[in-house]
Amino acid sequence: MSVNGVEWTPGMVCVFDGLENVTGRVVQWYEQRLESMKAGEELREQNHPHLAERPHLDGSFTTSLPLSLNPQSVELPGGIELVEAEPIVDRKSVFVGRACRISDPSQVIAFARVSHLITEQIARQVPLILAFLMADRRVTKAAHPIINAWRCQLAAPTVYTHPPDNGDDGESAAGGRLAHLLQILDVKDVLVVVTRYFGGTLLGADRFKHINQAARDALELGGFIELGLREPSLLFNQGLIGGKWVESKSGATISVFNPATGEKLGTVPEMGLEETKEAINAAGRAFTTWSKTTAKQRHDILIKFYNLMKEHDDDLARIITHENGKTLAEAKGESAYSASFIEWFAEEAVRTYGEHIPSPFGNIRNIVIKQPVGVVSILTPWNFPSAMIARKLGAALAAGCTTVIKPPPETPFSALALAELGRRAGIPDGVINVVTTQKNVNDVAKEMCESKTVKKVTFTGSTPVAKLLYKMAASTIKKISIEAGGNAPFIVFDDANIEQAVEGAILCKFRGTGQTCVCANRIYVQSNVYAEFASRLAERVAAFKVGNGLEEGITHGPLIHDRAVEKVMRHVNDAVEKGAQILVGGSRIDRLGTFFAPTVLSDVPANALVNDEETFGPIAALTKFETEEEVIKLANDTDVGLAGYFYSRDVGRAWRVAEALEVGMVGANTGLISQTVIPFGGIKESGIGSPCNWSTILDLSLLGREGGHGIEEYMNTKLIAFGGL
Ligand SMILES: NC(=O)c1ccc[n+]([C@@H]2O[C@H](COP(=O)([O-])OP(=O)(O)OC[C@H]3O[C@@H](n4cnc5c(N)ncnc54)[C@H](O)[C@@H]3O)[C@@H](O)[C@H]2O)c1
Ligand SMILES: O=CCCC(=O)O
């Protein structure tokens, strides 16, 4: 039987949900009713104050919404077809929907595999549509209640309504009517999840809050496993160009996996040169207006952005854990860190002071002003899927620049969620663009570095890639900031507090399962305290609980992928071949996912690979030393210089060592140096200059320095010599 374009036959799976077309119908229906009732009171209600704020969607509500589910963007197995469904309207309710028809019941399992992609898309659209509908009093009056329903196959017919009862019988009445309708139509073997979001006269923001919880409950009840987000609408599987969520031109996609389970989380578009050019052009166009906003306007929008990040911090953290693997506690830490950059730079926006320089000529006044550099290309790594973007994005936006972000293919969802929150905060179309790519990375990165529209490139990642981008950016003498790899020495002198040193080593070495750029890579321990330090460290590391970061009690998550596990294994094998002992761990953990056992190696010779290359994994490699002079030489014997740490209670030694270490950042008696407020960055091949988050308060003499993510790095300095006085 066909009703409103949907085949309501048993054995078919329907995913029902509020979508386009309904608006016009509902409004028309209501206007007819209004006319017939000639009710002045209802007209007055249009101006009710709680409806004043319109949601993000603009445009006339009578136009059809550009929110249709695009079948091309979901890889559907054969025998599964997405169906356009007209809304079903009865006298009191509107059942709006999108259906997925499965011709062969055996395909239900295949459907289950892709259903989360479909439902993610749907779930993302629901709040927007409902917000859109809610913003117009006539719609909300007319659609009492509007129902959002997911329908899928189950053994027995069930109707579930959410919220179950709020003292207003709207939802149960609606659920009852839908159940009745299905009964009349002889539809069996279905689960209908009915979620009712508004109705009656009790409309307001409090009612709207239920939408996301309802969508989540419905998805879970329908057996659709998604990331357990409160607001699934933060998940995007498209890139963002000029304010539009878009697929790749080729239709190709990149699969994104959870490193803890190997489970495919979803896909994002495999974009290429053409999309990159479009994104750069969009950013170029947006620059003409964004750069003209006042610092205060940008401050206010960034504060909204920050507040949204705080509001959604649980969801942002869950996305990080799913795609990166770090524990939920660490992911929450990263999410807070990430938001703090947006807050910091909001506050910096209004402090981009200029200067007056007295002229030797009586008829000239020298004024120095700051102006945003232009379009900024942002390329980031997977180890901090959110914070490494926010550190750059916050500064760029605050300065008045527009951006093209290329997130890593391993962790694109955090980047896309950030971009969405930026949009919701009111950042205009084209100011943030996100180009996702993997195979086409060479073409995309080349364009991002060489395009004449781009005026600055900012990169965080490995040193070899940094060198490639540096060369490319040189072709147009762009401003560049580089945050590259490290090989941090961690030195324990015999006058150290050993307990604190062990604690510092745990924090520093094993943060993110050893996958941070400032992780200790080489641990040098003075011979007198070597045995004590090694045994205490080994005892602590043996107690780690390794596993899926979403689970309670897990202290350390997986490595990002197999290549990372192989590199760690290679470093362990090499050290052991050269005479090192394994005190703890030393091998891959035999389970699903890319896990390596946290490892402590002792007696690692100076010429071991682990002392030479950044391991980026959970190996604490201990090497014994005798004198301060010897260990400084060992510590500095590397081409990179990001962070260095030492533990000593001798004040004179502390100064000597801090000054002697060839690094951009020193931790003296601490293993944790990362903070929003510091000048984060390295020297030698770890980066260019010293990034200065606090650079606006620096003397102008520092402005010529390269590198870093302080707001000055995103601004040009211009002299205006006023003459003819
Ligand atoms: N100094 C810092 O602040 C800092 C912070 C975080 C990470 N890192 C470094 O990042 C590295 C780990 O991250 P990663 O593995 O994602 O680094 P990576 O260099 O492989 O990737 C970084 C970014 O560059 C892109 N990329 C990869 N190959 C490219 C190519 N040929 N051309 C252009 N772009 C390319 C990636 O897609 C990603 O977006 C480590 O070396 C770590 O020390 C440094
Ligand atoms: O991965 C390195 C950078 C993370 C941090 O800011 O501590």
Side-chain angles (χ1 to χ4, degrees):
M1 178 176 301
S2 168
V3 178
N4 289 320
V6 183
E7 284 294 323
W8 290 77
T9 52
M12 128 187 181
V13 175
C14 279
V15 181
F16 252 64
D17 159 86
L19 281 184
E20 70 215 42
N21 294 331
V22 69
T23 319
R25 275 184 90 142
V26 171
V27 169
Q28 191 189 20
W29 178 33
Y30 178 63
E31 283 180 342
Q32 282 165 1
R33 190 167 148 237
L34 197 65
E35 200 179 318
S36 69
M37 289 170 73
K38 294 192 184 0
E41 188 197 326
E42 290 191 65
L43 272 173
R44 279 197 297 280
E45 281 188 342
Q46 283 180 32
N47 299 321
H48 199 285
H50 73 259
L51 296 167
E53 190 160 318
R54 283 191 72 85
H56 192 73
L57 274 175
D58 284 330
S60 160
F61 56 80
T62 50
T63 54
S64 123
L65 302 175
L67 292 167
S68 62
L69 183 61
N70 177 4
Q72 301 309 319
S73 62
V74 177
E75 289 163 24
L76 291 174
I80 299 181
E81 189 193 339
L82 286 177
V83 183
E84 286 291 327
E86 285 292 305
I88 302 168
V89 182
D90 73 4
R91 219 193 118 261
K92 278 185 125 186
S93 307
V94 184
F95 302 94
V96 287
R98 190 59 58 107
C100 180
R101 180 183 299 133
I102 301 191
S103 45
D104 174 356
S106 71
Q107 288 291 0
V108 168
I109 291 172
F111 172 76
R113 281 199 206 106
V114 296
S115 62
H116 67 283
L117 295 179
I118 300 170
T119 50
E120 272 167 20
Q121 292 194 357
I122 290 172
R124 177 181 319 143
Q125 294 167 356
V126 171
L128 278 180
I129 293 161
L130 293 176
F132 183 82
L133 292 172
M134 274 180 71
D136 192 278
R137 184 64 173 162
R138 293 172 303 171
V139 176
T140 53
K141 285 292 279 183
H144 171 64
I146 285 186
I147 292 166
N148 181 47
W150 283 264
R151 180 166 174 257
C152 63
Q153 187 168 25
L154 261 199
T158 320
V159 171
Y160 167 79
T161 62
H162 179 94
D165 191 0
N166 61 359
D168 163 351
D169 70 353
E171 68 272 15
S172 41
R177 280 197 298 283
L178 183 55
H180 184 60
L181 185 64
L182 297 178
Q183 201 183 349
I184 294 168
L185 297 173
D186 198 23
V187 175
K188 296 193 182 82
D189 302 337
V190 294
L191 166 72
V192 180
V193 181
V194 179
T195 56
R196 175 187 170 278
Y197 300 117
F198 52 87
T201 53
L202 296 173
L203 287 169
D206 54 328
R207 301 294 299 272
F208 186 51
K209 273 199 301 206
H210 291 300
I211 289 173
N212 302 318
Q213 182 62 39
R216 178 179 166 206
D217 286 359
L219 291 177
E220 281 174 2
L221 256 166
F224 303 128
I225 306 305
E226 35 81 61
L227 309 192
L229 306 185
R230 289 213 181 113
E231 184 159 331
S233 64
L234 289 178
L235 274 178
F236 283 84
N237 58 4
Q238 290 162 310
L240 180 66
I241 299 180
K244 293 201 167 55
W245 293 101
V246 288
E247 308 297 334
S248 62
K249 305 270 179 215
S250 66
T253 56
I254 304 161
S255 296
V256 183
F257 297 93
N258 180 341
T261 59
E263 179 191 22
K264 183 169 159 179
L265 297 172
T267 61
V268 290
E270 172 68 62
M271 292 178 158
L273 182 60
E274 218 181 317
E275 294 91 331
T276 310
K277 285 185 172 168
E278 282 179 12
I280 291 172
N281 288 339
R285 284 192 300 277
F287 182 71
T288 58
T289 46
W290 181 247
S291 59
K292 300 284 185 306
T293 54
T294 64
K296 174 72 168 94
Q297 285 169 329
R298 296 196 294 277
H299 163 274
D300 291 353
I301 290 180
L302 285 174
I303 289 293
K304 267 194 205 158
F305 189 3
Y306 163 73
N307 286 332
L308 282 169
M309 287 180 75
K310 298 301 286 176
E311 188 186 317
H312 294 286
D313 57 357
D314 276 351
D315 279 353
L316 295 175
R318 286 187 82 82
I319 296 175
I320 291 171
T321 297
H322 271 95
E323 62 184 5
N324 167 283
K326 65 179 69 174
T327 63
L328 204 50
E330 285 186 300
K332 284 184 179 168
E334 177 179 349
S335 186
Y337 190 33
S338 185
S340 74
F341 285 117
I342 303 296
E343 182 191 35
W344 174 272
F345 286 112
E347 290 162 353
E348 288 289 273
V350 288
R351 296 193 174 83
T352 50
Y353 306 130
E355 211 184 9
H356 167 245
I357 303 172
S359 168
F361 307 114
N363 60 349
I364 288 197
R365 301 289 180 268
N366 291 316
I367 301 294
V368 176
I369 62 165
K370 308 290 173 57
Q371 292 179 307
V373 294
V375 175
V376 178
S377 290
I378 296 177
L379 300 100
T380 54
W382 47 261
N383 68 332
F384 284 83
S386 176
M388 293 303 102
I389 294 175
R391 184 183 262 161
K392 299 163 186 298
L393 184 66
L397 298 179
C401 299
T402 56
T403 59
V404 177
I405 302 169
K406 191 215 81 57
E410 294 88 350
T411 60
F413 293 126
S414 294
L416 296 166
L418 268 189
E420 168 63 6
L421 291 181
R423 270 160 50 87
R424 292 187 194 177
I427 294 171
D429 291 352
V431 173
I432 303 177
N433 302 276
V434 185
V435 173
T436 51
T437 192
Q438 183 170 41
K439 290 198 190 100
N440 299 328
V441 69
N442 290 337
D443 291 345
V444 169
K446 190 167 186 296
E447 187 63 19
M448 287 176 78
C449 291
E450 293 185 352
S451 161
K452 288 194 173 172
T453 307
V454 173
K455 300 296 186 235
K456 178 181 170 75
V457 176
T458 172
F459 171 78
T460 297
S462 62
T463 299
V465 175
K467 289 182 183 178
L468 282 176
L469 303 188
Y470 195 15
K471 262 192 212 154
M472 293 194 276
S475 66
T476 47
I477 318 215
K478 289 193 202 318
K479 266 181 173 271
I480 186 157
S481 302
I482 289 178
E483 299 261 29
N487 179 5
F490 186 102
I491 306 168
V492 184
F493 289 101
D494 55 11
D495 57 32
N497 176 326
I498 299 301
E499 199 179 321
Q500 285 177 5
V502 169
E503 191 57 43
I506 300 275
L507 275 176
C508 177
K509 173 65 248 181
F510 293 99
R511 177 174 168 228
T513 312
Q515 302 172 107
T516 87
C517 58
V518 288
C519 273
N521 204 50
R522 305 165 281 157
I523 302 183
Y524 297 116
V525 188
Q526 206 155 13
S527 54
N528 288 350
V529 290
Y530 186 88
E532 183 189 355
F533 180 88
S535 75
R536 286 211 206 180
L537 183 68
E539 193 185 327
R540 291 284 303 278
V541 172
F544 288 174
K545 294 254 173 305
V546 181
N548 185 338
L550 290 171
E551 286 166 19
E552 199 68 27
I554 294 300
T555 57
H556 293 81
L559 296 182
I560 189 71
H561 41 43
D562 274 325
R563 289 193 310 285
V565 175
E566 281 154 21
K567 184 173 187 187
V568 174
M569 197 66 247
R570 197 165 65 248
H571 278 192
V572 171
N573 289 341
D574 170 80
V576 169
E577 271 165 31
K578 290 174 178 161
Q581 317 282 318
I582 298 175
L583 299 186
V584 183
S587 57
R588 186 177 182 138
I589 298 177
D590 189 16
R591 57 174 282 177
L592 209 61
T594 41
F595 290 93
F596 197 93
T599 298
V600 179
L601 299 177
S602 77
D603 303 308
V604 177
N607 69 344
L609 263 186
V610 64
N611 279 334
D612 195 36
E613 283 178 9
E614 183 185 34
T615 306
F616 232 54
I619 312 175
L622 309 188
T623 302
K624 206 179 285 175
F625 73 92
E626 299 296 337
T627 67
E628 185 181 315
E629 196 186 10
E630 175 199 357
V631 80
I632 293 293
K633 210 162 163 229
L634 283 171
N636 289 340
D637 185 19
T638 172
D639 291 333
V640 292
L642 186 59
Y645 306 83
F646 69 87
Y647 276 74
S648 166
R649 284 180 293 186
D650 176 328
V651 176
R653 169 177 275 162
W655 276 107
R656 282 195 305 276
V657 175
E659 287 179 359
L661 286 175
E662 294 171 3
V663 294
M665 298 175 288
V666 174
N669 294 316
T670 178
L672 193 66
I673 52 176
S674 301
Q675 303 146 66
T676 313
V677 299
I678 61 168
F680 193 100
I683 59 170
K684 294 161 89 173
E685 293 188 7
S686 286
I688 300 175
S690 182
C692 308
N693 285 346
W694 36 253
S695 63
T696 48
I697 57 165
L698 288 183
D699 186 88
L700 278 176
S701 61
L702 283 180
L703 287 178
R705 287 172 71 163
E706 294 286 328
H709 308 131
I711 195 166
E712 296 288 359
E713 290 294 325
Y714 296 81
M715 304 198 93
N716 290 325
T717 299
K718 182 183 277 177
L719 165 75
I720 306 174
F722 267 91
L725 300 178

